[in-house]
Each structure stands twice: as C-alpha cells, then as structure tokens.
Amino acid sequence: MFDGNNSPPPRTTDHLGHKANFDVNEQKLHSRGVPSLWDEISSWLIIAGIIAVIYLLFKIF
C-alpha cells in the first residue's frame, strides 16, 4: 500500500500503544467472553423482526 508519493506508509513503532490496545482487548475478552452462537442468532432474529414489522406496515398502509 502506497500513498500519493509512491512511498510506503510509515511504520508505527508505538509499542506502548500496541500493548495498551492488547490489554484493553484482553480485558474485554475476559469480562465478556467469546461471542457465542446465541448472540448471533438473537441478532438475526431481531433484524428479521424489524424487517417483518416494516413489511406489515407497508402492507397495512
């Protein structure tokens, strides 16, 4: 990936920033856990319900 000057982008060497980001992500994983299949299913059911309500509103009016 190059920028407009045909030179590669600068490499980030912010090791403390990378470590802080890793620590935050690790803490989220330990407190919430891995997203489960039930989370995915419930999200799809909510989306399907919203689409069904919109469809019914168009059909009624």
Side-chain angles (χ1 to χ4, degrees), residues 8-30:
R11 297 184 74 158
T12 58
T13 56
D14 184 14
H15 299 293
L16 295 177
H18 292 295
K19 174 76 168 109
N21 187 27
F22 176 80
D23 290 342
V24 167
N25 290 337
E26 185 180 29
Q27 183 62 32
K28 274 196 240 179
L29 183 63
H30 285 292

Side-chain angles (χ1 to χ4, degrees), residues 1-14 18:
M1 184 161 97
F2 291 94
D3 61 8
N5 299 328
N6 289 332
S7 62
R11 297 184 74 158
T12 58
T13 56
D14 184 14
H18 292 295

Side-chain angles (χ1 to χ4, degrees), residues 13-56:
T13 56
D14 184 14
H15 299 293
L16 295 177
H18 292 295
K19 174 76 168 109
N21 187 27
F22 176 80
D23 290 342
V24 167
N25 290 337
E26 185 180 29
Q27 183 62 32
K28 274 196 240 179
L29 183 63
H30 285 292
S31 64
R32 184 167 178 224
V34 178
S36 65
L37 180 62
W38 177 246
D39 290 335
E40 292 293 322
I41 292 172
S42 63
S43 296
W44 283 105
L45 286 175
I46 291 169
I47 291 170
I50 291 171
I51 292 172
V53 167
I54 291 171
Y55 174 76
L56 289 175

